[in-house]
Amino acid sequence: MQTVDVLVVGAGLAGLSTARLLARRDLNVMVVDRRGSLSAGIRTTGIFVRRTLDDFDIPDHLLGPGIRDVLLYPPSRRAPIRFISDRDEYRVADMAAVYEHARGAAESAGARVLLGVRYVHASRGFVRLEGAEPVRARFVVGADGARSRVARDLGLDVNRRLLVGAEIVHPIASGTTTPTFHCVLDPRVAPGYLGWAIDDGRHAHVGVAGYPDAMRAGIRHLLDAFVADAPGHAAPVGPIERRGGPIPVGGVLRRLACPAGLLVGDAAGAVSPLTAGGLDPCLRMSELAAAVTAGYLRTGDQRVLSRYDGGALRNRFRGRLSLRRVFAGIRSPATAEAAVTVLRGRAGRALAARILFGDGSFPDIDQRLADPVADHPRR
C-alpha cells in the first residue's frame, strides 16, 4: 500500500494550487479526481477579477481580453445602469487550459495527479479509492467541491447555504462585439442572484444562478428561458457547452481543520457570499492551507492547525453576509425593479461600483500566518 504525506482530493484550482505549494515544500503529495479529463465537469464561468490577476501569475495567453464595461439590468431589461472602469476589471479564462496549466505546475513541483480516481472514504489515515489501490495518508486535503465528502468523513463543517448555477458557453464571431459584462437582476430566472451574459470577444458565457427552493421550473428551463432574450448575447458559431453546479454562499466555514486534514476552495466555503466569486478566494486560502499543513506535518504540533481559522475570516465578512441576506430577499420583479432604481442614485451607484470594481471581494490572508519556508507565487 502506498503511503503519502498529503492526499489532495479534487483537481480544481484550489486542489492543484495547494498540491503545488506542498510539493515545493518537499512533501510527498498525491492528487486524485474522479474526472477522466480536466476539461470535463467544469463548474465555473472562469471570470478572474483584476485583483487576482494583479496578485497571482495566471498566464496571459489563457485569458480573454480585458473587460471594463458592466451593464446592470432590471427585470424589464429597460434602461440598464452602465458602470465603466478606467482599468481592465475582468478577464474570462479558458478554464480547461487553466486547469491543465495548474496540473503541469503541480506535477513539475513533484506532486502526482491521478485522474479517473474517485475518493470513497477516509478513516484513521486509510483512504479507500475507486479506480486505484487504497493509500495511507498522513493528511487529507478536501478540495472536492461545495458538497465535500471529505468534510463529512473528517467531521469538519459542511456548506449549508447554497445557490445552484448553470450556464452555456460557446464561441462567437471575433471582432463583432465589445467585451461587456451584462448582469440582470430578475428573480423570475435567478432568485436571490443574477442572470449574466459576459462576452470576452471570443466566447460568450450566458448563465443564471439562484436558490434552488425558488427555482420551481428547474434551472435548465430557467436558463433556456433566459438565453432566449439575454442582453448582449451574440449568436454561437460553434458547439455549445453546458456547465453547472452548487455555489456555497454562507461564507467561510468555521471548522476547517483537524489532525486528519483540512478543507480548501468551495469545500471550505471560500467563496465571496455576495458576488459568489470563488477563484480569488481559493488561491488566497491555498497559500495558508499549504503553510499550515506543512507546519503541522513538520512539527506534529496541533496548535499549528488553529492558524487555519475560518471563524476569524468570517468576522471580516459581516458586511457581505448582511448584503447576501438582502440579495436573497429580492424575490419579486417589483422588488428587483425598486432595487435597481435605488442603485441609480448617487449612493447606490457608489455602492454598486465598489462591489463591481473594488478590491475587497475577499480579504487577504494574514501573511504573519505563513511559515518561514513558505513560497510566494505572487508577482
Side-chain angles (χ1 to χ4, degrees):
M1 185 183 300
Q2 292 188 69
T3 298
V4 298
D5 292 320
V6 184
L7 177 71
V8 179
V9 181
L13 194 57
L16 291 170
S17 298
T18 305
R20 173 178 59 85
L21 295 169
L22 289 168
R24 289 176 63 173
R25 290 170 167 84
D26 296 324
L27 291 169
N28 182 355
V29 181
M30 177 187 291
V31 183
V32 297
D33 194 292
R34 65 182 179 179
R35 296 175 294 166
S37 166
L38 294 181
S39 63
I42 295 174
R43 295 190 171 187
T44 175
T45 298
I47 301 172
F48 282 91
V49 298
R50 171 177 48 79
R51 183 173 179 234
T52 314
L53 298 175
D54 286 345
D55 289 350
F56 295 91
D57 190 13
I58 311 297
D60 191 73
H61 70 279
L62 304 181
L63 300 164
I67 297 172
R68 302 184 176 195
D69 201 359
V70 178
L71 292 172
L72 177 62
Y73 298 78
S76 65
R77 313 292 201 271
R78 293 193 295 267
I81 309 172
R82 183 181 295 273
F83 300 90
I84 302 175
S85 175
D86 57 2
R87 302 174 292 187
D88 291 342
E89 296 289 350
Y90 306 98
R91 296 182 72 178
V92 184
D94 177 347
M95 286 307 298
V98 168
Y99 291 149
E100 286 295 347
H101 173 79
R103 175 188 180 181
E107 291 179 330
S108 294
R112 288 171 290 162
V113 181
L114 305 181
L115 301 182
V117 175
R118 187 173 71 88
Y119 168 87
V120 178
H121 181 68
S123 177
R124 298 183 179 181
F126 177 81
V127 183
R128 288 193 293 120
L129 304 170
E130 184 179 293
E133 294 297 317
V135 299
R136 288 203 175 276
R138 298 174 62 197
F139 204 72
V140 178
V141 171
D144 53 334
R147 297 190 177 103
S148 171
R149 182 181 293 270
V150 172
R152 297 180 189 278
D153 288 348
L154 299 184
L156 299 174
D157 286 352
V158 296
N159 292 294
R160 303 290 183 189
R161 298 178 63 189
L162 299 165
L163 302 177
V164 61
E167 74 170 7
I168 63 167
V169 183
H170 60 73
I172 61 174
S174 61
T176 58
T177 62
T178 299
T180 304
F181 195 174
H182 302 268
C183 301
V184 180
L185 185 61
D186 186 348
R188 294 170 298 184
V189 294
Y193 194 61
L194 297 167
W196 66 88
I198 189 164
D199 162 14
D200 64 7
R202 300 184 301 189
H203 288 82
H205 296 250
V206 185
V208 297
Y211 289 100
D213 63 326
M215 291 180 157
R216 296 180 178 85
I219 190 167
R220 181 157 184 158
H221 174 79
L222 293 176
L223 173 60
D224 290 342
F226 180 68
V227 168
D229 68 348
H233 180 203
V237 296
I240 294 175
E241 172 192 354
R242 285 185 177 264
R243 300 178 180 177
I247 309 166
V249 290
V252 178
L253 300 174
R254 288 183 172 83
R255 189 162 186 261
L256 297 175
C258 68
L262 56 71
L263 308 175
V264 293
D266 283 8
V271 173
S272 172
L274 179 58
T275 65
L279 295 175
D280 185 78
C282 85
L283 289 172
R284 296 185 192 280
M285 284 193 70
S286 292
E287 291 184 317
L288 180 58
V292 166
T293 299
Y296 171 63
L297 292 178
R298 185 174 60 246
T299 65
D301 186 351
Q302 294 187 21
R303 291 174 298 179
V304 174
L305 298 174
S306 66
R307 293 155 51 196
Y308 199 63
D309 182 5
L313 283 171
R314 287 186 67 85
N315 290 336
R316 301 164 72 180
F317 273 96
R318 289 175 181 169
R320 295 180 186 88
L321 287 167
S322 296
L323 288 171
R324 161 51 44 198
R325 288 189 286 272
V326 172
F327 211 166
I330 300 176
R331 295 295 180 98
S332 72
T335 304
E337 290 280 354
V340 174
T341 298
V342 170
L343 294 176
R344 294 185 191 279
R346 183 175 179 180
R349 289 185 66 93
L351 174 63
R354 182 177 178 182
I355 293 170
L356 292 169
F357 302 146
D359 290 335
S361 63
F362 196 85
D364 277 317
I365 302 299
D366 191 337
Q367 290 303 303
R368 291 174 297 177
L369 296 174
D371 70 16
V373 298
D375 54 21
H376 298 283
R378 301 183 184 186
R379 288 186 253 179

